[in-house]
Amino acid sequence: MRVGIESINFYGGPAVIPARTIFEGRGLDFSRFDNLMMDRKSVGVPCEDAVTGGVNAAKPIIDALSEEDKSRISLVITASESGLDFGKSLSTYIHDYLGLSRHCRLFELKQACYGGTAGLHMAACYIASGASPGAKALVIATDVARAAAKSTYGEPTQAVGAVAMLISANPEILELDFGATGHYSYEVMDTCRPLPEIETGNPDLSLLSYLDCLENAYKDYKDKVEGVHFQETFDFLAFHTPFGGMVKGAHRKLIHEELRLRGAAVQQDFDQRVAPSLTYGMQVGNVYSAALYLSLCSLIDHVRITDHSRVGLFSYGSGCSSEFYSGVITPESARKLSAMNLQGQLDSRYELTFQEYDDILDQNVEWLFGMRDKKVNFSRFSRIYDHFFRGKGYLVLTEVDDFHRKYAWS
């Protein structure tokens, strides 16, 4: 049975700041700038959270469906490390504001940045099982950086964003090589969010865990799939992307080990098979559970697909859980994704000065997990709201009333 991603869309937030501006404003060492491979990062505002991001990513997909196809969505999974409640899932709000059928399963997954992949495969197994013939599933990976780790080299990468994926037996974006997947997971304290206001961890340990998982998840894939060759089997590659430099280093390490390539041959392979997947990420930053799927979107939008092309995908979530799997994209993938105009959306963001950026960070701290009663003061970021939201029909947070979050369309 064919199964995979029928539709996909990305929402990248209303505001953006050049990474270079952060380096200058924080007095960071520019000798480390090029290694990040970051151009700009998306910045959220107080009227946004993981719910609004998820809805704004999914709404163009839902609006394009017929009423019959919309009614076929019988599973909604949200994946996030930016939850708003210990019990109530983000999917309850998202399902409501998308106007989906009440005859639907709703729940939320959490495993750091791996959550989006967990949701995708859980939905694909549901579709492939045939338990509900003709059903579709909506998977939404949505995350919001907590208070930025100011004056660290992680700050220029911490971003906001969401990817929505419609999973079905009509995989026009990506047809999964169903069952062709390798896993590697173990307990490690590389990064975590132990408190509402903190993202913390050991960046060196996180890099080592990422590299370890890529190597061993790929080995597990090879053990399960006959005749795999790292360069010949996969026309393109897309990896979980906290920042581009991390992916470049991971690709270099794996191709050294698998094919013993060095120097110009490694760079050429990277430029042809990997670099196109980084274009959007370099303009957005780390979007956590959505990062791999932003890379997939970037790949589809920035390579010439003339026939069926196989993509190797690597997903990593700190803590840690990882998976290497594969799927096929076609010219139809490019045609369908182009209708979402992702570059146009990114170009429409409001560009922040450093002072505006610092002020927005302080405002966002006021809206951390656990808010009971508060109304959004739109006047405090009116330039951003008027530029990006006003009259555009995006979902925005308006208030929290006795813990109940309330939203409206801009």
Side-chain angles (χ1 to χ4, degrees), residues 326-362:
S326 60
V328 173
I329 56 176
T330 69
E332 174 63 14
S333 308
R335 185 203 65 78
K336 189 163 187 177
L337 182 59
S338 68
M340 295 299 178
N341 189 23
L342 299 191
Q343 187 62 60
Q345 182 203 141
L346 295 179
D347 290 343
S348 73
R349 294 171 295 176
Y350 177 95
E351 185 163 318
L352 299 162
T353 65
F354 183 75
Q355 185 56 54
E356 287 175 320
Y357 165 72
D358 226 14
D359 181 52
I360 286 295
L361 292 188
D362 291 340

Side-chain angles (χ1 to χ4, degrees), residues 50 80-85 90 108 143 146 369:
S80 182
E81 55 180 85
S82 310
L84 300 168
D85 188 284
L90 301 172
E108 183 176 325
D143 271 303
R146 294 304 192 211
F369 181 99

Side-chain angles (χ1 to χ4, degrees), residues 135-306:
K136 299 178 186 289
L138 183 64
V139 176
I140 296 175
T142 177
D143 271 303
V144 177
R146 294 304 192 211
K150 292 184 179 182
S151 300
T152 71
Y153 292 94
E155 182 181 357
T157 72
Q158 294 174 313
V160 300
V163 163
M165 299 178 280
L166 188 66
I167 313 304
S168 77
N170 182 32
E172 294 178 317
I173 294 290
L174 176 78
E175 180 177 352
L176 293 173
D177 292 326
F178 194 71
T181 180
H183 305 92
Y184 197 71
S185 307
Y186 54 92
E187 197 281 323
V188 61
M189 199 67 169
D190 56 339
T191 71
C192 59
R193 298 193 188 195
L195 296 170
E197 70 276 14
I198 291 178
E199 289 181 46
T200 188
N202 183 326
D204 293 333
L205 180 58
S206 188
L207 172 60
L208 292 173
S209 298
Y210 181 102
L211 296 174
D212 184 32
C213 284
L214 172 59
E215 177 186 357
N216 286 287
Y218 177 67
K219 285 181 179 178
D220 191 43
Y221 179 97
K222 285 201 304 180
D223 288 343
K224 296 175 180 175
V225 182
E226 186 177 352
V228 173
H229 184 281
F230 184 64
Q231 201 167 36
E232 296 175 3
T233 300
F234 310 106
D235 299 287
F236 304 106
L237 298 163
F239 294 175
H240 168 59
T241 307
F243 56 92
M246 190 167 182
V247 172
K248 188 171 186 178
H251 165 265
R252 181 174 59 247
K253 184 176 187 295
L254 190 57
I255 205 166
H256 281 177
E257 293 172 350
E258 290 293 315
L259 304 177
R260 305 303 178 193
L261 296 184
R262 296 289 188 273
V266 175
Q267 185 65 47
Q268 183 180 18
D269 188 82
F270 176 80
D271 290 343
Q272 291 178 351
R273 294 199 298 157
V274 184
S277 73
L278 304 181
T279 302
Y280 288 152
M282 291 172 70
Q283 301 177 59
V284 173
N286 184 7
V287 284
Y288 305 90
S289 63
L292 171 58
Y293 301 98
L294 177 59
S295 296
L296 176 62
C297 289
S298 182
L299 178 70
I300 293 171
D301 270 348
H302 291 96
V303 296
R304 185 166 177 262
I305 309 169
T306 59

